[in-house]
Each structure stands twice: as structure tokens, then as C-alpha cells.
Amino acid sequence: MLTVDFSRFPLAPGDRVLDLGCGAGRHAFECYRRGARVVALDQNGEEIREVAKWFAAMKEAGEAPEGASATAMEGDALNLPFPDESFDVVIISEVMEHIPDDKGVLAEMVRVLKPGGRIAVTVPRYGPEKICWALSDEYHEVEGGHIRIYKADELLGRMREAGLKPYGTHHAHALHSPYWWLKCAFGVDNDKALPVRAYHKLLVWDIMKKPLVTRVAEQALNPLVGKSFVAYATKPHLPKADA
């Protein structure tokens, strides 16, 4: 299940991509399939080990084209172990809402992004996320949980302050908003509640089968209740005199 829409965020074979806070690796895997040279970085060592196993399995199965490469590594988003201007593309999906120093993370991403490079940022959308917080303290008051809710203009403003030039936005995963509202209402860790189990089956069916009816429904509902807000931006080239 991808949050970044690669039809709006072009990726060329050979692009060097950083998936920052990669989690289980969903975007890193897609970039690898598209022929990129991918670095998947996360502070969670257990998840990174799983991502590395999947990269190896993909290579063994021939899922990545010739010239593509993939590396999984532990790292700190506030102190990236890469030289300036190392990447053509940076993706940070559902991460910034967890990090107190979000401005510091943006600064690091801009530092390692090449001039003319592209960045995709996704965060929980303000409205659906606000409902989750209202329904359940347990949803966000946990170690490593969500510490802020972004309004779209606020996130775009911070990206501009960091030196990026936003060029597009959209919302994603409308069908997932009601699921999280149910989870918050019945208990975040309560997977046995009948409404939660029933809706989870619907989501699994949607992800596995991709039926037309749910694809059309989600596309129609995304502007209203999309769970994620997605913003795309470029790092401008410096004027020659400044460079």
C-alpha cells in the first residue's frame, strides 16, 4: 500500500533514493522495482533487518531491473551519515509527526538532496487525525507516538522555510480513516471487536484484490477524509552567483 503516487513523483532508473524512516520498506521496495539505487534507513534495527531480507529476496526473484541496488541501514534522521547532495530523491512517509525536531529533519533532508532533486513528505491529515486524538488518548500518548497534527499550510510552510519548492499535494487512504476511528473507539489494541475485525477484512480484500468499486470509492473520498496528506517538492538550483 503506497502513499506516494509515483505518477506525480517521477522516478528514473538509476536515481539514488533515500527512504528516510522506511519502516517496513513499502516505498523502498517500489523504488527498487523501478530501477533506483535505494537506501532504506530507519532507527528501528529489527525493521531494518527485515527490509534487508526482503531486498535480498527481491534480488533473488529477479524483481529489480539490472543496475538497481538496495541497502538497508540503521541511522538517525537528525544526523544522516551521507555527504551533502548525495540523493536525487528523498521520501519520508508518516515519520515527521513522530519527531520533536521536525525542522532539523527537514534541514538534513535538504542537505543530502541534490539541487533539482525531488522530495515527498507524507503525514496524517489534520481532520481524520484530530478525530483519532479525540476518541483515544492511547492512540497518540505512547512512546514514539504522534506528537503533533499538521495542517497542510503549516507543513508546506515548513518545507518552504527549509529551502524547498512545493509543486503538488493530494490526500490518500480514505478507506483507512474509518478503520482507525473504529480502533480508537473500541481500543487501539482491541482487535477482537466485531466492527474492527469486519472492517479489517474489507481493507485486506481491497489491498489484495484491488476491486474497481473500492478504488473508485477511495478516489472519490480522498479529498474529504483521506487519512494521509502528501506533499511533493523540489530543491531549487542556486543562482550561479550564489553557487
Side-chain angles (χ1 to χ4, degrees), residues 172-188:
H173 310 318
L175 295 182
H176 288 250
S177 290
Y179 173 71
W180 282 103
W181 298 338
L182 288 170
K183 289 272 286 181
C184 290
F186 286 94
V188 173

Side-chain angles (χ1 to χ4, degrees), residues 52 54 68 72 81 92 102 128 136 138 154 190 197 209 212 216 228:
W54 278 105
I92 184 166
D102 58 343
S136 172
E138 185 184 11
E154 177 188 7
N190 180 13
R197 286 192 289 118
K209 301 296 185 180
L212 179 62
V216 171
S228 295

Side-chain angles (χ1 to χ4, degrees), residues 6-152:
F6 286 94
S7 69
R8 310 183 196 212
F9 189 64
L11 190 68
D15 275 352
R16 186 161 166 78
V17 177
L18 173 63
D19 185 1
L20 181 56
C22 64
R26 57 201 174 103
H27 289 107
F29 300 149
E30 181 63 21
C31 293
Y32 190 30
R33 290 188 187 98
R34 290 170 177 261
R37 295 173 293 155
V38 184
V39 176
L41 184 144
D42 201 285
Q43 67 178 2
N44 186 319
E46 184 176 342
E47 286 196 311
I48 282 298
R49 286 187 287 275
E50 284 299 311
V51 170
K53 291 178 183 177
W54 278 105
F55 279 152
M58 291 173 67
K59 183 177 181 180
E60 181 71 20
E63 289 189 39
E66 187 176 352
S69 64
T71 303
M73 61 185 294
E74 288 185 60
D76 180 358
L78 290 164
N79 186 23
L80 295 174
F82 310 112
D84 295 355
E85 303 179 3
S86 298
F87 294 93
D88 303 290
V89 173
V90 177
I91 297 171
I92 184 166
S93 182
E94 311 300 301
V95 173
M96 288 181 57
E97 67 276 9
H98 296 272
I99 301 176
D101 186 8
D102 58 343
K103 291 184 179 180
V105 172
L106 277 169
E108 272 293 87
M109 290 190 290
V110 171
R111 180 184 68 79
V112 301
L113 186 64
K114 295 178 181 178
R118 303 172 304 286
I119 186 167
V121 180
T122 91
V123 297
R125 185 183 186 177
Y126 183 85
E129 183 77 348
K130 196 74 172 178
I131 293 172
C132 289
W133 282 45
L135 289 170
S136 172
D137 290 337
E138 185 184 11
Y139 171 80
H140 63 97
E141 290 183 358
V142 295
E143 184 177 355
H146 299 185
I147 62 171
R148 71 174 65 82
I149 307 176
Y150 287 100
K151 291 184 177 179

Side-chain angles (χ1 to χ4, degrees), residues 1 175-176 179 196-211 214-215:
M1 185 186 72
L175 295 182
H176 288 250
Y179 173 71
V196 174
R197 286 192 289 118
Y199 203 96
H200 184 262
K201 287 183 179 180
L202 169 66
L203 292 180
V204 171
W205 175 67
D206 171 55
I207 292 170
M208 298 302 294
K209 301 296 185 180
K210 296 180 174 62
T214 56
R215 296 298 87 212

